[in-house]
């Protein structure tokens, strides 16, 4: 039995979700030579009490084993102008692991994970739970610290390309 409804039009679903404008984040994972990370639009606030953030991660990503091993991750909400960072952490250009961090300034966070200088916000988290479902896992991150820049507009992704907020 297929894991989705047999009548569903998968390209139509992808097309529809491509119209869901979203902020772009880089999820940094790991310490030392074990560092890696991925670009994500599937980030949302999960709960306020306790402060918890949700990220969906494809288990085929190198970050899956790394986040289970590290037990922590950081959400870096990208600023307009940081699309090069998004491309690098999406694996474009074939750069892997720790080398993805080269070329930008990073701050060491309490968990040992790195936070991106100039990002809209950097949210350091302990991994609270990883819920596996189909190809992906829902990462629930218990927030341990938050930093937010002032007067920085976000990088957005819509209809297959990076965008910025009109009028900002
Ligand atoms: C705009 C954009 C949004 C993405 N959002 C997600 C996401 O929410 N979850 C995810 O697992 N992968 C997402 N990806 C893909 C991952 O960034 C990519 O598969 C990952 O970096 C590959 O990592 P690896 O080379 O370390 O395996 C997104 C890619 C782009 C360009």
């Amino acid at each position: 039995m297929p894991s989705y409804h047999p009548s569903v039009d998968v390209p139509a679903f992808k097309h529809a979700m491509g119209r869901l404008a979203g902020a772009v984040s880089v999820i940094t994972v790991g310490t030392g030579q074990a560092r890696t990370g991925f670009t994500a639009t599937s980030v949302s606030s999960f709960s306020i009490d306790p402060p918890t953030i949700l990220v969906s991660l494809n288990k085929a990503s190198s970050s899956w084993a790394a986040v289970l091993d590290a037990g922590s991750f950081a959400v870096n909400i990208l600023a307009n102008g940081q699309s090069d960072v998004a491309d690098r952490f999406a694996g474009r250009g074939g750069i892997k692991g720790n080398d993805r961090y080269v070329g930008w300034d990073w701050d060491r966070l309490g968990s040992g994970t790195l936070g991106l200088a100039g990002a809209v916000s950097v949210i350091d988290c302990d991994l609270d739970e990883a819920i596996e479902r189909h190809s992906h896992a829902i990462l629930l991150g218990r927030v341990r610290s938050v930093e937010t820049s002032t007067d920085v507009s976000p990088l957005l992704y819509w209809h297959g390309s990076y965008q910025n907020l009109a009028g900002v």
Side-chain angles (χ1 to χ4, degrees):
M1 187 170 153
S3 57
Y4 51 88
H5 195 284
S7 68
V8 74
D9 181 339
V10 174
F13 173 64
K14 290 173 73 173
H15 185 75
M17 297 313 293
R19 297 305 195 276
L20 176 63
V24 184
S25 297
V26 158
I27 314 303
T28 44
V29 179
T31 59
Q33 288 306 308
R35 286 189 208 288
T36 184
F38 62 105
T39 297
T41 48
S42 62
V43 173
S44 68
S45 175
F46 179 73
S47 65
I48 300 299
D49 184 16
T52 303
I53 202 162
L54 179 158
V55 184
S56 295
L57 171 62
N58 190 326
K59 291 188 288 178
S61 167
S62 66
S63 293
W64 172 228
V67 75
L68 292 177
D69 197 41
S72 57
F73 62 89
V75 174
N76 302 265
I77 302 173
L78 297 186
N80 186 26
Q82 293 183 321
S83 60
D84 288 351
V85 189
D87 281 342
R88 176 80 63 79
F89 279 82
R92 293 176 182 157
I95 296 174
K96 298 277 187 191
N98 196 36
D99 290 341
R100 288 185 177 164
Y101 291 77
V102 174
W104 299 288
D105 293 331
W106 303 89
D107 300 313
R108 179 183 288 271
L109 306 173
S111 67
T113 316
L114 295 185
L116 177 64
V120 172
S121 294
V122 177
I123 303 161
D124 192 21
C125 302
D126 290 325
L127 179 64
D128 188 22
E129 193 171 354
I131 302 165
E132 296 182 60
R133 189 74 175 151
H134 308 306
S135 56
H136 279 62
I138 296 169
L139 307 181
L140 294 179
R142 184 75 65 97
V143 176
R144 49 183 298 162
S145 73
V146 179
E147 290 172 35
T148 299
S149 303
T150 50
D151 298 328
V152 178
S153 68
L155 180 68
L156 303 180
Y157 195 75
W158 178 76
H159 199 177
S161 63
Y162 299 112
Q163 312 280 342
N164 60 348
L165 274 180
V168 176

